[in-house]
Amino acid sequence: MPTALELLDKFAAAQEPLKSFIAVEEFAGRVNGISQAVDGNLGSTNEVRVDGFRVVERSWEWGPQGGTRNRPKYWSILTDGRKISYNEQPAPGELVIMPESVGWFFRSDPKKRMAESMGRSFLRQGFGVIHPGDRRIDLRLRAAQDLRLRPKLELAGWEPSPCYVLEGETETGRYTLWLDPAHGYHLAREVAERRPEHLGPNGRPCGEHAVSTVEKVRFEMRDGLWLPVEISSRMEGPYQGRPTLQTFHTKVTRFTLNPNHAALRSFVPDDVRDGTQVILVGENRRTKATGTWRAGRAVDSAGTVLWTPESLAGTVANKHPQPVP
């Protein structure tokens, strides 16, 4: 039997080649117990592009909060040292641009690993990140005070396979992992339990009991590597004193490893429509400026360029963007 730390090393090694890719996923879920405005069936088609630390997510979604399968709502998030968040509805839409020091997802490390930055894509669960912005599970468990390996292998995964089972307690929760040696030591199942004394994202006791489960993962071989391509998961916990249950399912329909991101312009906000309102957020988290998106740039009412995708206005001395005619 390997040791617990040796298994974490094997899991980390399985993630190492998966730093740059494009994935398209079909997502379906159901929410019960939160509110009438949110509860119900929801779905989306998501495209995720990553190259290590830059991530762009684009989503066409439908559900109780708006959109239908035929006329979905559209939003996108680009993180590359900034967070660029774009919502197409209500028209003409809104684009929010903020530096890395403001976004909560950058606070622990301004160069987070790609899976930790995949905020709303449930593909991140296959890479060991249950909650958006959380640390990858092997990084959390290396600091666990109580990390142990169960004495026997247990069946887990979409197609049950013998897995090593690790258990560990950290300040943010108690975790149990099923790592599948037949599929590159990827995560086949995970249970994360948070009790009232565990710390939440703000560093304070969360004061509630919740359980998040990656119930089963299906793998496929792509370019000589095992990949998580289908995931079922669930979250149970209180909301304003009421029990809630959220169930999710995501399936990867397209996966391209190591694409030419430069040629594809993967990390350029070319999906923003002209006329979109732009909000630039400063280091103090207050609005720095507002403008309108025109011809791929943010401009004020006089046509003066406030921001371009190449640089935050005023921060690069040798860049002098010209007004949009």
Side-chain angles (χ1 to χ4, degrees):
M1 293 285 285
T3 67
L5 289 177
E6 286 172 342
L7 285 169
L8 292 181
D9 288 341
K10 291 179 180 295
F11 173 79
Q15 313 308 310
E16 195 64 24
L18 306 176
K19 290 183 175 180
S20 179
F21 62 80
I22 298 174
V24 177
E25 61 181 11
E26 295 294 330
F27 167 81
R30 182 168 181 83
V31 177
N32 291 304
I34 294 182
S35 71
Q36 187 175 2
V38 175
D39 287 359
N41 296 322
L42 58 154
S44 64
T45 298
N46 310 312
E47 182 187 81
V48 182
R49 299 188 179 202
V50 303
D51 72 345
F53 296 118
R54 293 183 298 178
V55 181
V56 61
E57 299 176 73
R58 296 182 177 184
S59 181
W60 297 261
E61 64 181 28
W62 53 90
Q65 293 183 289
T68 65
R69 185 182 291 271
N70 293 330
R71 298 189 64 182
K73 293 171 57 179
Y74 177 77
W75 58 262
S76 66
I77 298 176
L78 168 63
T79 57
D80 65 349
R82 303 154 294 186
K83 179 183 178 183
I84 302 173
S85 176
Y86 171 52
N87 287 288
E88 204 170 70
Q89 287 92 10
E94 181 180 83
L95 182 72
V96 180
I97 303 165
M98 62 178 67
E100 64 182 26
S101 58
V102 174
W104 61 268
F105 46 86
F106 286 120
R107 289 176 189 167
S108 62
D109 183 355
K111 291 187 176 180
K112 278 185 170 293
R113 294 174 183 267
M114 63 87 188
E116 296 166 319
S117 300
M118 288 164 55
R120 298 175 67 176
S121 166
F122 276 78
L123 181 59
R124 60 178 158 73
Q125 294 184 337
F127 295 105
V129 180
I130 282 192
H131 302 292
D134 201 357
R135 300 190 72 196
R136 206 175 66 193
I137 188 59
D138 60 308
L139 303 177
R140 280 215 178 277
L141 286 182
R142 289 182 190 279
Q145 296 179 351
D146 180 20
L147 177 63
R148 59 183 180 272
L149 174 65
R150 289 182 183 174
K152 295 182 179 180
L153 277 67
E154 300 178 11
L155 294 177
W158 197 279
E159 299 173 352
S161 178
C163 296
Y164 294 104
V165 186
L166 291 175
E167 299 175 294
E169 181 95 19
T170 75
E171 62 181 9
T172 61
R174 180 175 183 80
Y175 302 91
T176 306
L177 314 182
W178 285 257
L179 299 181
D180 188 348
H183 297 98
Y185 292 88
H186 278 291
L187 188 69
R189 186 171 187 260
E190 177 181 358
V191 176
E193 180 184 11
R194 184 179 61 201
R195 297 191 298 272
E197 66 270 19
H198 285 129
L199 301 183
N202 59 3
R204 301 175 182 176
C206 61
E208 61 185 22
H209 182 268
V211 178
S212 298
T213 307
V214 177
E215 295 186 307
K216 51 186 179 180
V217 181
R218 183 171 69 86
F219 305 100
E220 287 185 2
M221 179 73 76
R222 304 283 180 88
D223 297 325
L225 299 171
W226 286 110
L227 300 173
V229 296
E230 196 161 1
I231 303 165
S232 289
S233 59
R234 61 192 284 128
M235 297 174 63
E236 300 173 81
Y239 178 78
Q240 297 183 351
R242 303 187 304 273
T244 68
L245 172 63
Q246 303 176 60
T247 56
F248 311 108
H249 177 263
T250 188
K251 182 178 181 179
V252 176
T253 58
R254 181 165 63 87
F255 192 96
T256 304
L257 189 64
N258 298 322
N260 188 337
H261 287 297
L264 295 171
R265 294 168 54 85
S266 290
F267 306 103
V268 176
D270 54 6
D271 57 330
V272 183
R273 292 184 178 182
D274 278 4
T276 295
Q277 180 186 12
V278 180
I279 300 174
L280 295 171
V281 179
E283 295 286 348
N284 60 2
R285 301 193 186 187
R286 296 181 180 179
T287 300
K288 180 177 181 180
T290 59
T292 303
W293 192 259
R294 289 176 56 195
R297 297 176 175 184
V299 299
D300 63 16
S301 57
T304 302
V305 175
L306 301 174
W307 184 86
T308 74
E310 292 76 28
S311 66
L312 286 169
T315 62
V316 181
N318 62 351
K319 288 187 178 292
H320 302 283
Q322 300 299 311
V324 175

